[in-house]
Amino acid sequence: MNLLVINGSPRKLGRTTKLTKWMSQNYQTNLLDLSELTLPIFNGEEETRNHTDVQKALDAIKSADAIILATPEYHGSMSGALKNALDFIDNSYFIHKPVALLAVCGGGKGGINALNSVRTVARALYANVLSKQLALDPGNMTEQGELLEPAKTNMDLLINELKFYTSISKQLMPERSL
């Protein structure tokens, strides 16, 4: 099962980046790290879609069986880096694909606005977004991005639910499997 975590943070040392790297090691997921890519600003022109890093992102998303969209909360919404990356995608990349949502907050803000904005965009792309979602504060993880209890248990539940719905999706729609 190809689970893809998309790190929506442009910051190389941000909490979301650290957490998604930890997740890729501890949950056997692939990682698309937007802090390591240089995506042009989406303008709808074909030449931007042909950019090497855009193609890398599109290929990773297309081949994934399920996706975890992880974002910091910036000014009450998802990061601009994640929104820009999602703007390159049409609904064929996400249709019938299970998607889990994760927000990493600076503390005291909760992350719900980032989760809501990502959910709205993912629905517009026809993703099957799980009801379960996580918002994590700095107190939920170590400085290196490792989750502490009870956040780790909640992440385990989220990953297990994503795997469950991905298995069902693959059984019901084997033509979608790569």
Side-chain angles (χ1 to χ4, degrees):
M1 186 177 300
N2 180 358
L3 300 181
L4 177 67
V5 177
I6 299 177
N7 169 30
S9 176
R11 297 177 61 209
K12 293 187 185 306
L13 299 176
R15 282 186 290 278
T16 308
T17 302
K18 291 176 184 178
L19 175 64
T20 56
K21 286 182 179 182
W22 179 83
M23 288 173 64
S24 71
Q25 295 168 355
N26 289 275
Y27 291 100
Q28 289 78 48
T29 62
N30 293 310
L31 177 61
L32 178 62
D33 189 346
L34 297 182
S35 76
E36 295 179 357
L37 299 179
T38 304
L39 300 180
I41 299 295
F42 177 76
N43 63 8
E45 301 296 327
E46 193 59 34
E47 64 266 11
T48 59
R49 293 183 67 79
N50 295 327
H51 187 279
T52 303
D53 282 348
V54 171
Q55 284 303 306
K56 181 179 179 180
L58 293 175
D59 290 346
I61 292 166
K62 188 172 193 124
S63 67
D65 295 315
I67 295 173
I68 301 164
L69 295 173
T71 185
E73 183 165 302
Y74 289 166
H75 304 298
S77 188
M78 74 176 93
S79 72
L82 181 58
K83 177 63 169 86
N84 185 58
L86 293 174
D87 284 342
F88 282 98
I89 299 166
D90 63 52
N91 61 17
S92 70
Y93 288 82
F94 273 90
I95 193 163
H96 304 301
K97 200 170 282 195
V99 173
L101 305 180
L102 173 64
V104 180
C105 313
K109 305 248 176 162
I112 196 70
N113 291 322
L115 291 169
N116 286 337
S117 65
V118 175
R119 184 174 297 278
T120 298
V121 172
R123 277 195 328 242
L125 292 169
Y126 298 129
N128 284 336
V129 184
L130 301 182
S131 296
K132 182 180 281 305
Q133 59 190 18
L134 284 179
L136 301 169
D137 281 322
N140 296 127
M141 64 187 79
T142 67
E143 185 63 34
Q144 293 74 34
E146 181 177 349
L147 284 180
L148 303 170
E149 290 297 340
K152 181 168 182 326
T153 296
N154 289 330
M155 181 66 77
D156 292 344
L157 293 170
L158 182 71
I159 298 291
N160 288 337
E161 186 170 316
L162 183 63
K163 287 179 178 179
F164 173 76
Y165 284 110
T166 303
S167 293
I168 291 171
S169 176
K170 288 178 74 148
Q171 287 174 16
L172 295 175
M173 293 177 284
E175 71 279 359
R176 193 181 67 84
S177 300
L178 299 176

